Amino acid sequence: MARIRSKRAKIAVIGMGHVGLPTALGLASLGWQVLGVDCSPELVSRLQAGEATFYEPGLADLLQQHLGKNFLPVQDLEKAIREATILFLCVGTPQKTTGEADLSQLEAAARTIAQNLNSYKLIVEKSTVPAITAQWIQRTIRRYANNENGRKHLDRIEFDVASNPEFLQEGVALDNISRPERIVCGVDSDRAREILEEIYRPLSAPLLMTGLSTAEIIKHAANSFLSMKISFINMVADLCDAIGADVTKVAEGIGMDPRIGPAFLQAGIGFGGYCFPKDLRAFIYLAEEHGVDFSLLKQVEAINERRSELFVKKVRNALWVLHDKTIAALGLSFKPGTDDTRESPSVRIVDRLLSEGAALRLHDPKAMPLLQKVFPPQEGRLTYCDSPYSAAQNAHALLILTDWPEYKLLDWNQLRATMQLPLILDGRNLLDPATVRSAGFEYISIGRPEAPGFQGTASSV
Ligand code: UGA
């Protein structure tokens, strides 16, 4: 049985986006020769010039470290397929208006692979895809390889398809790659299993081998479950708001139960980003398509969609009329540690406040250059500011929309002195209520009582 020995085989990572580039550099760090393939000439030349194409902590340094040595960005997909033995598919799987995943980039990649099969290939699906996509890739490769002028004979040229879903979190992606909590590989041959074991062995992380569709479902189920945790705690937050309890303590209390766990119980303005909203819709669509009533997940989605409107309502309750009010909004990315604003609840809130006639002064440590391209500044209405202090100037309220840690460390006295009203609405429960209140602010957050009594602390007895 053929094996992939001692990293002489090349890996091609197809798609140099938020998943592909960190994956490629992670594999290069493990000592593999990696071709990073993308169809965008502009993106490839930026990578070739050593420029990280998006912000991710540590990414620019890692690129510098491997570029031209064991990482080569290239545009020629056909050549990369012929040169490489292992092909990681990291192309986009955007969503259609129906919620269904658009798999056209994967299908195109599978066809190109079929037409360039010159030796054994292991095709590893890393993009998040609905169950049975791996089978479609297999079928597509067989069909097109057989049809290519009748020259290829699949009985002579073998290939395997594997599913190896990624669990990267933007902002800590490189850490997730070098120290993964688990690695899931869906395979249907020993050869694929052995190759993937060889690739991942140095990471000494728990490796779960499953069938193809099981691995695909694990990815969607994990993201849907985490989204469910967030929507759950957000509903608890609304109840805490109504009753005067503290959701952060409720989260702490339930999170101490190892069956629940403390992660992803941070209440706020809801989840965003390129993954959760899209994957949730795709999972709902998949269930519907197979006649399974997964309406639980529809609720998770509906709760999340209401979060931004609920927060705008809090702003309205505090300021009454928003027209002609100046509002400072801190944080635009969908979470800290990234410049990504896709499906960001912060942007939804900014948009909503603008439509109510407020003047917005925005700040984000990383996301402003990208956002300005799609959301251009408007004289006197929408201003991008180079610091939180500048954003707060003459503001009637200051909103925390992304939990960037640096916003915790602001000089509250300096901020208060520049604002028209000392009012903070914290959409992420980032700040310590006592600190900002003692600096003279009225402070409104999510599911935390506005006039706290004894809030308690966790201690061991
Ligand atoms: C998510 C998953 O966490 C990764 O495991 C997965 O690999 C990735 O999607 C993907 O499918 O590619 P990511 O989108 O980078 O990662 O972001 P998360 O850290 O999961 O946060 C998602 C959203 O949930 C953010 O808007 C965040 O602010 C929000 N969130 C998170 C909360 O509102 N509360 C929490 O307690 C946690």
Side-chain angles (χ1 to χ4, degrees):
M1 180 183 302
R3 296 259 173 98
I4 301 299
R5 283 184 212 286
S6 67
K7 295 173 188 168
R8 279 200 304 270
K10 266 191 196 160
I11 294 181
V13 178
I14 302 167
M16 285 288 94
H18 285 262
V19 172
L21 182 56
T23 299
L25 293 173
L27 291 163
S29 305
L30 290 174
W32 295 88
Q33 286 296 322
V34 182
L35 299 168
V37 195
D38 202 283
C39 59
S40 155
E42 190 227 331
L43 192 145
V44 170
S45 51
R46 283 171 67 196
L47 288 176
Q48 285 168 341
E51 187 193 333
T53 39
F54 54 91
Y55 175 71
E56 178 67 42
L59 192 68
D61 289 347
L62 203 61
L63 177 62
Q64 289 299 334
Q65 206 178 312
H66 295 289
L67 184 64
K69 294 169 199 139
N70 51 350
F71 174 64
L72 283 184
V74 297
Q75 206 202 322
D76 190 339
L77 175 59
E78 301 202 350
K79 187 159 175 267
I81 293 168
R82 288 195 298 268
E83 278 182 26
T85 307
I86 307 160
L87 310 171
F88 277 86
L89 297 179
C90 298
V91 295
T93 52
Q95 118 192 343
K96 298 184 186 173
T97 43
T98 50
E100 182 188 3
D102 176 352
L103 303 176
S104 51
Q105 294 181 48
L106 267 184
E107 200 251 5
R111 272 189 286 138
T112 314
I113 292 169
Q115 286 150 4
N116 290 279
L117 267 187
N118 55 344
S119 57
Y120 172 79
K121 310 281 172 199
L122 171 62
I123 298 127
V124 188
E125 158 200 283
K126 225 173 194 345
S127 313
T128 302
V129 291
I132 67 167
T133 301
Q135 290 172 29
W136 273 107
I137 294 175
Q138 279 170 335
R139 232 181 287 172
T140 305
I141 294 178
R142 275 200 200 101
R143 177 159 299 148
Y144 284 88
N146 279 326
N147 281 346
E148 203 230 355
N149 306 326
R151 277 189 284 116
K152 290 264 160 59
H153 298 290
L154 279 170
D155 41 346
R156 276 197 284 119
I157 300 175
E158 296 165 81
F159 71 95
D160 283 305
V161 175
S163 164
N164 171 215
E166 59 82 23
F167 299 106
L168 308 183
Q169 275 182 280
E170 289 181 33
V172 286
L174 298 183
D175 202 48
N176 294 155
I177 285 184
S178 55
R179 278 185 292 276
E181 283 159 354
R182 86 290 206 190
I183 296 165
V184 172
C185 296
V187 292
D188 66 357
S189 79
D190 286 340
R191 194 191 226 179
R193 181 178 49 75
E194 283 165 14
I195 295 172
L196 288 165
E197 278 171 356
E198 182 175 344
I199 291 176
Y200 289 122
R201 191 170 300 120
L203 295 178
S204 37
L207 185 57
L208 179 67
M209 286 286 171
T210 70
L212 291 169
S213 298
T214 304
E216 291 166 331
I217 292 222
I218 286 173
K219 173 61 200 251
H220 264 148
N223 276 5
S224 301
F225 190 85
L226 291 170
S227 312
M228 183 178 72
K229 267 186 116 175
I230 299 171
S231 280
F232 178 85
I233 201 68
N234 280 333
M235 288 312 298
V236 174
D238 288 353
L239 196 57
C240 287
D241 261 336
I243 285 173
D246 183 343
V247 72
T248 57
K249 293 287 169 203
V250 175
E252 196 180 332
I254 61 174
M256 282 171 166
D257 182 335
R259 292 170 302 172
I260 297 174
F264 279 66
L265 288 178
Q266 205 180 311
I269 53 178
F271 55 81
Y274 190 59
C275 304
F276 279 3
K278 171 175 80 78
D279 292 353
L280 189 60
R281 272 169 228 146
F283 208 36
I284 293 171
Y285 184 89
L286 182 78
E288 264 171 10
E289 225 192 358
H290 290 83
V292 175
D293 180 3
F294 214 154
S295 42
L296 169 69
L297 295 183
K298 288 188 184 159
Q299 276 306 312
V300 170
E301 187 184 28
I303 292 165
N304 196 55
E305 280 170 2
R306 291 200 297 268
R307 296 313 290 170
S308 11
E309 188 49 44
L310 270 170
F311 188 71
V312 170
K313 201 168 153 199
K314 274 184 186 256
V315 180
R316 233 186 270 118
N317 282 347
L319 289 176
W320 193 12
V321 175
L322 297 183
H323 182 72
D324 285 344
K325 294 271 175 21
T326 299
I327 296 177
L330 305 189
L332 303 167
S333 55
F334 81 97
K335 61 182 248 181
T338 176
D339 58 0
D340 195 345
T341 56
R342 290 174 295 178
E343 300 239 13
S344 171
S346 317
V347 176
R348 266 202 300 277
I349 288 167
V350 165
D351 199 22
R352 190 81 187 80
L353 293 172
L354 266 181
S355 71
E356 299 222 3
L360 270 296
R361 296 179 63 77
L362 311 180
H363 177 265
D364 187 282
K366 294 290 174 198
M368 292 198 293
L370 276 181
L371 191 65
Q372 282 185 60
K373 291 186 191 155
V374 285
F375 225 145
Q378 298 169 33
E379 180 74 37
R381 296 282 326 279
L382 184 65
T383 311
Y384 288 89
C385 304
D386 57 11
S387 77
Y389 301 100
S390 151
Q393 254 166 31
N394 285 324
H396 295 89
L398 179 133
L399 317 183
I400 304 279
L401 300 183
T402 310
D403 40 347
W404 284 97
E406 45 265 64
Y407 292 151
K408 258 183 139 147
L409 307 172
L410 295 173
D411 180 335
W412 302 109
N413 290 324
Q414 189 185 336
L415 271 173
R416 188 169 46 85
T418 64
M419 291 175 65
Q420 290 202 47
L421 290 177
L423 171 64
I424 295 176
L425 289 111
D426 183 352
R428 299 290 190 171
N429 289 348
L430 176 73
L431 308 179
D432 172 41
T435 306
V436 282
R437 284 189 182 123
S438 68
F441 280 98
E442 183 184 345
Y443 176 70
I444 298 166
S445 54
I446 310 284
R448 292 195 291 182
E450 281 163 36
F454 174 68
Q455 289 307 306
T457 49
S459 61
S460 313
V461 283

